[in-house]
Amino acid sequence: MVEDDPAVAEPLLAGLKRNGIDTVHVAYASHVVEAVAQGVDVVLLDLGLPDGDGLDVLRDLRRVSDVPVIVATARGDEADRIVGLELGADDYVVKPYSVRELAARVRAVARRRRVEAPLETGRLVVDRKRRVVTLDGTAVDLTAKEFDLLAVLAEEPGRAVPRQELFSRVWDPVWVGTGKTLDVHIATLRKKLGDASLVETVRGVGYRLAVETG
Ligand code: CA
């Protein structure tokens, strides 16, 4: 949270904490890049800061980081909002905003970013934004369902993903039948990857993506 007004920052910090969001607070433009470098999931950026303009901070930040940024603008200041979005802000809130609204937006941009970030697991890269899979740098031609299956498995290599979860996330939230179609798709996925050992069967559970070493 980049916010110089303690009357705004203090209740927000407490409110975000109540919403399960850990927050690092800085009050100066000059502290932002360093704070972000320590690793944060989302930046809430006030535009009026004592030692600089938040939009300049955003510009500097974008040179070094693609961390999601929510810009906090004064009521009705459309110009700031537009410039913020043009400079690569992910969202904005208009002051005064509620903790609840902010928490929801923080979660939404973090989730969106997670969904867009390519999953890299050794030889395999699953780019969910472009819906492209590469193995050792070579594109693998997958159907939509095969892609979705692999994307779920690649979220967490090594995790045994239950059949029911795979079925409900890739096909239908309601688990019906034996899920034979799941096994058929896993078989074609293995074939297309050209290395059956990449997708492991976990007996009695489901499937997992092999953890590659070295
Ligand atoms: Ca301010």
Side-chain angles (χ1 to χ4, degrees):
M1 178 198 298
V2 186
E3 173 60 65
D4 60 307
D5 183 350
V8 174
E10 278 161 24
L12 268 186
L13 283 169
L16 288 171
K17 193 171 179 179
R18 274 198 310 278
N19 278 272
I21 297 170
D22 289 331
T23 310
V24 178
H25 174 215
V26 298
Y28 293 93
S30 54
H31 295 169
V32 177
V33 169
E34 192 188 332
V36 169
Q38 324 246 324
V40 298
D41 298 314
V42 178
V43 175
L44 172 68
L45 182 61
D46 177 32
L47 294 185
L49 296 166
D51 61 335
D53 186 325
L55 292 174
D56 292 330
V57 173
L58 180 56
R59 199 176 287 118
D60 291 344
L61 199 53
R62 277 292 169 257
R63 288 200 192 104
V64 293
S65 168
D66 66 349
V67 67
V69 174
I70 300 174
V71 163
T73 70
R75 180 181 287 281
D77 203 341
E78 200 179 1
D80 278 352
R81 206 176 305 165
I82 291 165
V83 174
L85 293 173
E86 276 171 0
L87 287 176
D90 295 74
D91 200 358
Y92 58 86
V93 284
V94 178
K95 287 183 169 185
Y97 49 86
S98 71
V99 167
R100 238 174 124 162
E101 179 189 0
L102 178 62
R105 285 177 187 271
V106 165
R107 290 216 174 83
V109 294
R111 190 167 49 232
R112 200 157 67 221
R113 190 55 65 100
R114 271 199 301 278
V115 165
E116 288 175 356
L119 301 163
E120 299 186 26
T121 70
R123 303 160 58 202
L124 201 61
V125 178
V126 180
D127 185 332
R128 292 173 290 185
K129 200 168 171 184
R130 294 166 51 230
R131 292 188 67 86
V132 172
V133 168
T134 56
L135 183 66
D136 295 325
T138 305
V140 184
D141 189 22
L142 300 179
T143 65
K145 292 296 185 200
E146 290 159 1
F147 180 91
D148 292 341
L149 255 183
L150 185 60
V152 172
L153 292 169
E155 278 174 8
E156 204 179 327
R159 176 168 85 95
V161 185
R163 296 172 61 82
Q164 184 159 354
E165 180 181 337
L166 287 168
F167 194 86
S168 67
R169 288 181 63 187
V170 174
W171 280 274
D172 194 307
V174 183
W175 166 261
V176 283
T178 60
K180 188 157 176 37
T181 186
L182 170 61
D183 303 306
V184 171
H185 279 77
I186 291 282
T188 57
L189 181 57
R190 282 173 169 156
K191 203 163 159 189
K192 288 184 179 178
L193 290 172
D195 183 352
S197 71
L198 279 173
V199 180
E200 299 172 342
T201 303
V202 185
R203 221 157 263 158
V205 181
Y207 295 99
R208 76 172 156 234
L209 197 67
V211 178
E212 299 170 69
T213 48

